[in-house]
Amino acid sequence: MNKALIENWGNPSSLHTLGMHAEIAVDNARQCVASSISASQKEIIFTSCGTEANNTAIMSALHRKNRGNRIITTSIEHPSVLNAVKALEDFGFQVIYLKPKANGVIDLVDLENALNDKTVLVSIMLVNNETGAIQPVKEACELTHKLSKNAFFHCDAVQAYGKMPINVKSLGVDLLTASGHKIHAPKGIGFLYCSQKTHISPLLFGGGQENGMRSGTESVPLICALQGAIESLPNLKNQLNIQKDLYDYTVKLLENTGFATINSNQNVLPYVLNISLNGYRSETVLHFLESKNIFISSGSACSKGNVSYVLKEMGKDNRAIDSAIRISFSRFNTKSDVDTLVNELINATKKLRKA
Ligand code: PLP
């Protein structure tokens, strides 16, 4: 990023050498992003964030309304998907929201029943941001393409990208969203994978950057920073094993406390752990931990204190929802961090019980 700020501050659209250097930097980054998901360079559109990539994918349904007006998604998507499809309802789209089972995973039979020849878009996330539940995207994609010939399959992979191997070709998705800040790039950069056979319309019109798909001068430093973050990723399979070990260790310690119930299910990406602290309001616990320099959230950070609709959709009762906290791991967390967290949780419950 620093290198780009100092050396490649030209505008990639400019014809002079400075512009050309910036363009080369963006091309290199695009190649890096593309190969991280087994795509080709032409299939990557840089965006300002995951939200913009999700909106670009979803709003493109507007231009395909002559083929059908049905959109299928899940009731546990991120608000950047849920609010986008909700906006499309005002344009006459019928949106079907698939509910998860008690384990937080959608049922493919429900998808099969919802798909018809009027379906133009299916949007299902790869990993849920509040519970870590992995959704059966590959199978959902196969069903969609088999039963709804007019439908594009979009996948919000913001929580999965850089944490588990993703191969867009073997997943079979037409569109896929990722965001840089989930893998230690700065905030303000994301991308949308759009397969070469998928023709969508842009959200932003203007000078025609990003192959006409996202006008606006490219943020070269942030794009280069994303490349840096990707190049710094460890081997994802090995890292996943290490993380699974840390996750299981955390679950075991929490179960031993006697006051924590695990809301995340077995089939999770072990970077998100959702628990309920029976009898303790999540907000109070959150502030106690914050005073110890431990930063966890209640529900999702984007919903700022709103009760978790994801846990509600999973059928959790109000007691479990009011006391739910979400622990997000990074690859830099250690067992010692977990020991500190669990000890401070025990301290929190002792102190709050007294109060
Ligand atoms: N999708 C999911 C699953 C997320 O968790 C997030 C952010 O946390 C987003 C989309 C939005 O990404 P961004 O913050 O880059 O807009």
Side-chain angles (χ1 to χ4, degrees), residues 1 161 179-190 221-230 233 331:
M1 183 172 179
Y161 179 70
S179 179
H181 68 95
K182 302 293 181 198
I183 60 160
H184 305 285
K187 289 154 192 68
I189 182 73
L222 290 176
I223 289 171
C224 290
L226 176 62
Q227 177 183 2
I230 295 169
L233 287 172
R331 66 177 190 268

Side-chain angles (χ1 to χ4, degrees), residues 231-243:
E231 286 172 351
S232 309
L233 287 172
N235 175 291
L236 295 185
K237 265 193 189 152
N238 292 346
Q239 185 57 37
L240 208 47
N241 286 333
I242 296 169
Q243 184 55 35

Side-chain angles (χ1 to χ4, degrees), residues 244-262 273 275-277 327 329 334-346 349:
K244 172 92 177 74
D245 197 44
L246 187 64
Y247 196 85
D248 291 345
Y249 177 77
T250 315
V251 169
K252 210 164 170 185
L253 285 191
L254 285 169
E255 280 175 342
N256 286 343
T257 62
F259 56 75
T261 311
I262 311 298
L273 177 56
I275 62 170
S276 289
L277 302 168
I327 303 161
F329 294 87
T334 61
K335 282 193 174 163
S336 153
D337 291 336
V338 170
D339 291 341
T340 309
L341 166 70
V342 176
N343 285 336
E344 290 300 349
L345 271 176
I346 294 170
T349 54

Side-chain angles (χ1 to χ4, degrees), residues 58-115:
I58 289 160
M59 289 301 170
S60 73
L62 266 178
H63 297 266
R64 310 183 66 247
K65 200 157 168 243
N66 55 345
R67 294 168 190 246
N69 72 339
R70 178 170 284 206
I71 294 175
I72 303 171
T73 188
T74 80
S75 58
I76 54 167
E77 296 294 312
H78 186 266
S80 56
V81 168
L82 287 178
N83 288 330
V85 292
K86 196 159 168 260
L88 288 180
E89 284 178 353
D90 293 340
F91 289 91
F93 281 90
Q94 177 202 26
V95 183
I96 310 287
Y97 299 90
L98 307 175
K99 256 176 105 77
K101 294 176 281 186
N103 63 4
V105 179
I106 58 144
D107 194 332
L108 287 168
V109 176
D110 293 341
L111 173 65
E112 191 168 358
N113 290 336
L115 286 164

